[in-house]
Amino acid sequence: VHDTQMELLRLTMEGEKYADPIIPPLRQIKDRWNTLKEFSLYNLYQECDRQKFTYGSDDEFLAWLVMKSDEKIDQIIKADQDPVITRDALVPSLCYDLLVENAQLRKMTNVYQLRVLLLHKGKDVTYQATKASTG
């Protein structure tokens, strides 16, 4: 709501005759979508590799990486626990639903991507670790 008010005030001060109140919430969705696209699981893995991060086993490391990437994705989309508060009434629900669906798909592909990455590095990763980390 605050962003919408600020955008409308800015446009009014610039002399705009018509300001569409749906633009600010759509911009927020677009920003979150772009941030989601920019998030790189590979960069997270490389950071752990650079710091010589060690875990008990490869399976535990995979589970930890998936958990951390899921947390980051949830943080980006700001998981809608209460749609009445977190969603703008002017924006069709479909826009928010697509953002959340995209995030869920990214979470699923992260498990696969990490498993392939660790297998490529010669790590021994079992199916149980990837299955347990996806819930």
Side-chain angles (χ1 to χ4, degrees):
V1 174
H2 179 68
D3 289 336
T4 302
Q5 291 172 339
M6 294 299 294
E7 181 73 12
L8 293 174
L9 181 62
R10 183 186 65 78
L11 290 172
T12 303
M13 291 177 72
E14 291 177 359
E16 294 287 329
K17 293 181 181 180
Y18 176 73
D20 193 350
I22 198 168
I23 298 298
L26 287 177
R27 188 174 296 126
Q28 283 184 335
I29 292 172
K30 181 183 177 200
D31 290 345
R32 287 196 252 164
W33 189 281
N34 288 336
T35 303
L36 191 60
K37 280 182 16 183
E38 292 170 4
F39 173 69
S40 172
L41 185 63
Y42 185 67
N43 288 343
L44 178 63
Y45 174 81
Q46 283 185 318
E47 183 66 29
C48 292
D49 204 33
R50 247 184 270 122
Q51 293 179 4
K52 302 296 183 210
F53 186 79
T54 56
Y55 234 90
S57 70
D58 293 338
D59 289 344
E60 291 174 356
F61 182 55
L62 174 67
W64 182 84
L65 279 173
V66 170
M67 180 189 68
K68 286 299 179 188
S69 67
D70 286 354
E71 286 175 4
K72 178 66 176 173
I73 290 171
D74 286 339
Q75 178 186 2
I76 291 169
I77 63 166
K78 298 176 184 170
D80 294 325
Q81 294 180 3
D82 190 355
V84 173
I85 296 172
T86 59
R87 294 183 177 191
D88 193 297
L90 296 174
V91 176
S93 175
L94 176 65
C95 296
Y96 291 103
D97 293 343
L98 288 173
L99 179 68
V100 171
E101 286 295 320
N102 183 27
Q104 294 301 325
L105 287 171
R106 298 230 359 147
K107 287 180 183 182
M108 285 186 258
T109 58
N110 281 348
V111 173
Y112 176 77
Q113 182 183 10
L114 278 172
R115 189 164 196 273
V116 169
L117 182 63
L118 290 174
L119 287 173
H120 178 70
K121 293 279 188 176
K123 308 284 185 175
D124 181 32
V125 180
T126 64
Y127 175 72
Q128 294 297 0
T130 56
K131 186 176 180 185
S133 64
T134 59

